[in-house]
């Protein structure tokens, strides 16, 4: 994973970077999201969101980076008016849209919604995919109503580093030749532009 911000410069514009990223979000990527979360993981994510939001009945909520749509579906079941969106049109093959108040393809760094549109915005596993996470935070603040809630989850950089080292060590013990002449890249996190330590995450939210 790239651990650092991608700079916008004259040689590689924001538009070119976005096009390159868009090409990476293939049908197989969204299919992996659909099958990648265990039921317990899905339930836990929804439970955490509801812990912050409480009773969502009647609330207008935006699910940014909705992926397979399981969070949107659970919020709809509980009476929320849910708008969902993701970065690539490939998501259209997987997300159930029949109960949604609206769905759109958009860049999270430029939300296509009016100011003060939502009671809450949910962004699970989104920040690490963005060229400019702060731009998304500014946009989310603009689109939230007064006293609205922004619920975010993102991978813990230090946890992942430690777990990766443990996995590599266990693999080497079991198979000393596993990484010999290996050119493969770990799939988990390969689309992550930047991940945050707890301190970096808190600083970004408060500064």
């Amino acid at each position: 994973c790239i651990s650092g911000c991608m700079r916008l410069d004259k040689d590689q514009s924001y538009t070119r970077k976005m096009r390159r990223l868009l090409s990476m979000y293939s049908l197989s990527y969204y299919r992996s999201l659909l099958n990648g979360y265990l039921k317990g993981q899905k339930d836990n994510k929804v439970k955490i969101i509801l812990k912050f939001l409480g009773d969502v009945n009647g609330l207008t909520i935006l699910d940014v980076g909705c992926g397979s749509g399981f969070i949107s579906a659970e919020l709809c079941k509980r009476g929320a008016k849910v708008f969902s969106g993701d970065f690539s049109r490939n998501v259209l093959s997987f997300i159930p849209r029949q109960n949604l108040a609206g769905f759109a393809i958009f860049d999270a760094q430029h939300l296509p919604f009016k100011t003060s549109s939502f009671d809450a915005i949910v962004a699970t596993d989104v920040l690490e995919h963005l060229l400019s996470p702060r731009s998304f935070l500014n946009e989310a603040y603009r689109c939230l109503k007064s006293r609205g809630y922004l619920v975010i989850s993102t991978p813990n950089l230090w946890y992942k580093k430690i777990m990766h080292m443990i996995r590599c060590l266990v693999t080497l013990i079991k198979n000393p030749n596993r990484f010999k002449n290996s050119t493969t890249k770990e799939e988990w996190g390969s689309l992550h532009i930047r991940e945050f330590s707890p301190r970096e995450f808190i600083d970004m939210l408060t500064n």
Side-chain angles (χ1 to χ4, degrees):
C1 298
I2 301 172
S3 180
C5 290
M6 296 181 69
R7 296 173 55 191
L8 301 182
D9 50 50
K10 294 181 180 179
D11 297 326
Q12 192 172 39
S13 69
Y14 177 84
T15 300
R16 286 180 59 192
K17 288 182 179 180
M18 293 300 289
R19 286 175 179 170
R20 189 183 71 208
L21 285 172
L22 186 59
S23 68
M24 299 169 70
Y25 290 88
S26 61
L27 286 171
S28 60
Y29 169 77
Y30 286 102
R31 190 175 294 111
S32 72
L33 288 184
L34 188 65
N35 301 319
Y37 285 112
L38 299 176
K39 185 179 186 302
Q41 291 175 308
K42 292 181 179 180
D43 291 344
N44 189 53
K45 283 182 177 290
V46 173
K47 186 183 298 184
I48 291 172
I49 291 169
L50 294 176
K51 178 182 177 181
F52 288 108
L53 297 183
D55 183 8
V56 298
N57 185 41
L59 296 184
T60 302
I61 301 176
L62 174 63
D63 184 7
V64 177
C66 60
S68 62
F70 71 90
I71 290 175
S72 293
E74 290 297 325
L75 293 173
C76 285
K77 286 180 185 178
R78 289 165 171 79
K81 183 180 179 181
V82 181
F83 292 80
S84 297
D86 210 293
F87 185 48
S88 169
R89 292 188 177 277
N90 288 324
V91 77
L92 295 173
S93 301
F94 302 98
I95 182 170
R97 288 171 283 163
Q98 60 270 23
N99 295 320
L100 296 176
F103 180 86
I105 300 298
F106 57 74
D107 173 6
Q109 295 147 127
H110 303 281
L111 297 176
F113 301 100
K114 295 180 179 179
T115 298
S116 303
S117 294
F118 300 101
D119 297 298
I121 294 177
V122 174
T124 59
D125 301 326
V126 171
L127 284 188
E128 64 273 14
H129 294 269
L130 302 179
L131 291 172
S132 177
R134 195 172 296 278
S135 294
F136 163 67
L137 294 176
N138 290 336
E139 280 289 270
Y141 180 79
R142 178 185 65 80
C143 291
L144 279 172
K145 296 178 182 178
S146 177
R147 303 183 66 82
Y149 286 90
L150 173 61
V151 182
I152 299 173
S153 71
T154 189
N156 184 330
L157 174 63
W158 294 117
Y159 173 81
K160 285 189 63 178
K161 281 187 174 182
I162 292 170
M163 292 304 297
H164 179 59
M165 287 189 289
I166 292 173
R167 286 199 301 272
C168 288
L169 181 60
V170 171
T171 301
L172 283 171
I173 292 172
K174 292 182 177 179
N175 182 7
N177 297 317
R178 168 64 179 84
F179 298 112
K180 187 176 181 180
N181 299 322
S182 175
T183 58
T184 60
K185 183 175 182 179
E186 184 185 29
E187 289 186 12
W188 185 29
S190 62
L191 289 175
H192 295 184
I193 294 172
R194 176 179 178 178
E195 294 173 348
F196 304 90
S197 68
R199 172 49 57 190
E200 290 173 325
F201 181 63
I202 292 171
D203 286 346
M204 183 173 59
L205 292 177
T206 55
N207 293 335

